Amino acid sequence: LQYLLPEEFQTWFSERWHPAFPITPYIGETEDGQIAMIIRPGLLDAIEFTENRGGVPLDDEEFVVLGMLEWTLWYLDELSWKRHQMVYVIKVIDLNGLGSGGRKLPIFVPKMKQIITGLLEAAQRPYCEHDALFMAVNAPFIFR
C-alpha cells in the first residue's frame, strides 16, 4: 500500500470495502495542508454490512481498515517530512440519516457492535495519534 498516491489508494480501498458503510479515506487537503477523510455512519446499513457479504468474511473488514490506517500514517509521514511540519488528519463524521430509512442504529446490531469494538481495540494499540480534529456534522437531536 505504501507508495500509492491518494487516488490510487482510494481505488484500492473502494474495491475492498463493503458499500453498505460509506467511507472515503481521502477527500483532499485543507488550506493549511492537513488531509481530510469522511465517514458516513448515518448511511451505514449495519444489517447489509454484516449479513450480505457475498462470500467475504466479516473479519476481512478489519484488515481493510488496518490497511487504511497504515497507508494514512505512511502518507502523513511522507507529507510531514516533505513539508518540514507535522501533518494530521481531519475526520468528518457525517451522522445524517443515522437510524432512519429503516436502518437500525449500528450499536443495536450485535455483529456490527462486535466489529466496531474489535476495530477500535485493534487501532488503538499500534497507531500513534494522528487526528487533528474529529468533526461530527448533521448530528441527530439526541447528540446535540
Side-chain angles (χ1 to χ4, degrees), residues 109-131:
V109 177
K111 285 184 183 178
M112 192 70 215
K113 184 177 179 180
Q114 180 181 2
I115 191 87
I116 290 170
T117 302
L119 286 171
L120 290 173
E121 289 174 7
Q124 287 176 349
R125 287 189 206 125
Y127 296 101
C128 65
E129 187 58 48
H130 62 278
D131 301 320

Side-chain angles (χ1 to χ4, degrees), residues 23 39 46-47 52 77 85 91 99-100 108 126 129-130 140-141:
I23 295 177
I39 304 167
I47 302 289
N52 297 326
D77 188 56
Q85 69 178 31
K91 293 181 178 170
S100 65
F108 294 135
E129 187 58 48
H130 62 278
F141 179 73

Side-chain angles (χ1 to χ4, degrees), residues 3 18 25 29 40 45 53 60 77 83 99 119 125 134 140:
Y3 311 114
H18 197 292
E29 295 184 22
R40 293 184 172 94
D45 186 333
R53 307 287 312 154
D60 282 9
D77 188 56
R83 298 174 183 171
L119 286 171
R125 287 189 206 125
F134 270 94

Side-chain angles (χ1 to χ4, degrees), residues 2 13 15 22 28 30 39 41 44 64-66 69 76 80 85 89 96 100-101 118 128:
Q2 290 181 343
F13 182 83
E15 289 171 353
T30 64
I39 304 167
L44 167 61
V64 176
V65 169
L66 294 177
L69 286 169
L76 290 173
S80 294
Q85 69 178 31
V89 178
N96 186 39
S100 65
C128 65

